[in-house]
């Protein structure tokens, strides 16, 4: 296939986690990140969902263990590291033939990077004594992201702009999706869905910058196309919660010392 000249487009195959039905798109945040990048690059590619309960049936998987997602380009050795995939695609699918996804503002690449870790600790927690502290830690990380989203970036400020007035940009780096958005937005979606369904915690409505960010994502074709049902998110984190609770109970069991 030709695209804008004599250079032939690479053959790209993306393998992602399947949903609980074994065929439709699953709720993997790392899979969605790469899926979004490929959509934004405006290139033809194929997506294959892998039923993780039957992964032994996939000929491409034995040497890869449980690594999902993975990417194959022109039949070369599969790439299994998500960051390596993103970097490779940005280098291989570069301007002027393909859109640039690197952010212009370095701050955008660091915004919200602690949220998913805080969320994971909170959602998996089964100790009532730690619940308030972990919820507070997640809340603070969300507030910090909100503050970044309502603060104007340098390129939003000019002689006619009050730099203290709130930003109205849609995404981390401006009004276009970039690499940091592809990384953060799938994770924020999990936070929104799972904490409400499983912990009764909702992202506060007064975090207006964060909600503008999420709602802007839900309106983009690249995010909607790569999304999965909320029920898949809830099922996944319910399993994580149950596993964590079992582990906690196991650690709490002490063998009585033998009598001397």
């Amino acid at each position: 296939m030709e695209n804008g000249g004599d250079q032939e487009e690479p053959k790209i195959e993306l393998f992602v986690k399947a949903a609980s039905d074994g065929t439709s798109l699953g709720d993997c945040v790392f899979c969605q990140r790469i899926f979004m990048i490929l959509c934004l690059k405006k290139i033809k590619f194929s997506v294959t969902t892998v039923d993780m309960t039957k992964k032994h049936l996939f000929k491409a998987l034995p040497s890869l263990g449980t690594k999902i997602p993975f990417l194959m380009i022109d039949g070369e050795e599969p790439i299994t590291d998500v960051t390596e995939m993103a970097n490779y695609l940005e280098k291989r699918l570069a301007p002027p033939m393909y859109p640039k996804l690197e952010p212009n503002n370095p701050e955008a690449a660091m915004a919200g990077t602690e949220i998913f870790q805080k969320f994971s600790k909170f959602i998996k927690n089964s100790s009532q004594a730690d619940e308030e502290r972990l919820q507070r830690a997640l809340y603070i990380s969300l507030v910090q992201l909100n503050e970044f989203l309502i603060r104007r970036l340098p390129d939003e400020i000019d002689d006619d702009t009050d730099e203290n007035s709130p930003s109205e940009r849609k995404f981390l780096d401006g009004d276009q999706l970039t690499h940091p958005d592809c990384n953060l937005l799938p994770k924020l979606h999990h936070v929104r869905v799972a904490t409400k369904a499983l912990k009764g915690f909702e992202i506060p409505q007064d975090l207006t910058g964060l909600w503008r960010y999420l709602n802007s994502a839900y309106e983009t074709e690249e995010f909607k196309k790569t999304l999965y049902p909320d029920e898949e998110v809830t099922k996944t984190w319910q399993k994580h919660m149950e596993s964590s609770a079992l582990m906690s109970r196991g650690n709490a069991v002490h063998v009585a010392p033998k009598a001397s």
Side-chain angles (χ1 to χ4, degrees):
M1 174 186 167
E2 305 277 330
N3 184 8
D6 295 331
Q7 185 177 344
E8 186 174 318
E9 285 194 341
K11 179 184 178 182
I12 299 178
E13 301 170 271
L14 177 64
F15 292 78
V16 301
K17 173 187 174 183
S20 53
D21 63 8
T23 56
S24 55
L25 190 63
D27 64 307
C28 172
V29 297
F30 309 108
C31 297
Q32 189 178 7
R33 176 185 177 182
I34 303 303
F35 199 169
M36 285 180 67
I37 289 171
L38 288 169
C39 289
L40 288 166
K41 286 294 184 180
K42 309 297 183 186
I43 188 172
K44 286 189 175 181
F45 62 96
S46 67
V47 178
T48 301
T49 56
V50 178
D51 184 346
M52 297 305 289
T53 65
K54 300 176 182 178
K55 59 182 182 292
H56 59 283
L57 300 178
F58 282 76
K59 294 180 180 180
L61 283 176
S63 63
L64 302 173
T66 58
K67 290 284 189 179
I68 290 289
F70 72 90
L71 191 68
M72 295 186 71
I73 301 179
D74 290 335
E76 298 173 358
E77 188 70 18
I79 305 173
T80 59
D81 180 83
V82 177
T83 300
E84 185 181 344
M85 287 182 217
N87 292 338
Y88 181 90
L89 290 172
E90 186 63 18
K91 183 177 179 180
R92 178 77 181 265
L93 306 178
M97 182 175 285
Y98 305 100
K100 169 181 172 287
L101 297 183
E102 285 297 329
N104 294 320
N105 299 277
E107 281 185 284
M110 300 304 297
T113 53
E114 293 186 353
I115 288 176
F116 201 60
Q117 180 187 41
K118 305 291 187 186
F119 157 71
S120 181
K121 288 182 178 180
F122 172 54
I123 202 77
K124 293 177 182 178
N125 175 57
S126 58
S127 169
Q128 195 59 40
D130 295 328
E131 190 76 354
E132 184 176 348
R133 175 180 60 83
L134 294 174
Q135 179 178 306
R136 179 68 179 171
L138 172 61
Y139 171 73
I140 290 173
S141 67
L142 293 171
V143 169
Q144 290 171 340
L145 175 61
N146 183 71
E147 289 174 348
F148 172 77
L149 288 165
I150 62 177
R151 186 173 72 247
R152 287 185 178 273
L153 297 171
D155 54 13
E156 293 181 285
I157 302 172
D158 55 35
D159 293 338
D160 300 322
T161 304
D162 178 3
E163 64 179 278
N164 294 317
S165 62
S167 171
E168 295 183 359
R169 68 186 186 278
K170 294 180 179 180
F171 304 113
L172 293 175
D173 193 53
D175 287 335
Q176 302 298 321
L177 289 165
T178 59
H179 276 298
D181 299 302
C182 296
N183 184 25
L184 182 58
L185 282 167
K187 296 173 181 177
L188 275 180
H189 178 68
H190 276 233
V191 172
R192 183 190 68 78
V193 173
T195 54
K196 181 179 180 180
L198 302 173
K199 291 281 191 173
F201 171 81
E202 296 187 53
I203 298 174
Q205 290 296 320
D206 61 358
L207 299 184
T208 55
L210 200 161
W211 276 108
R212 183 182 67 245
Y213 181 47
L214 273 172
N215 289 329
S216 295
Y218 292 132
E219 292 174 0
T220 64
E221 186 63 29
E222 293 84 3
F223 194 69
K224 290 189 292 185
K225 182 178 180 179
T226 60
L227 210 52
Y228 27 78
D230 288 358
E231 291 78 10
E232 291 296 318
V233 177
T234 305
K235 285 179 184 177
T236 291
W237 288 104
Q238 180 71 54
K239 290 178 182 177
H240 284 312
M241 289 174 67
E242 291 169 356
S243 297
S244 182
L246 283 173
M247 187 178 298
S248 296
R249 286 198 292 270
N251 291 337
V253 174
H254 300 283
V255 178
K258 292 182 180 180
S260 57

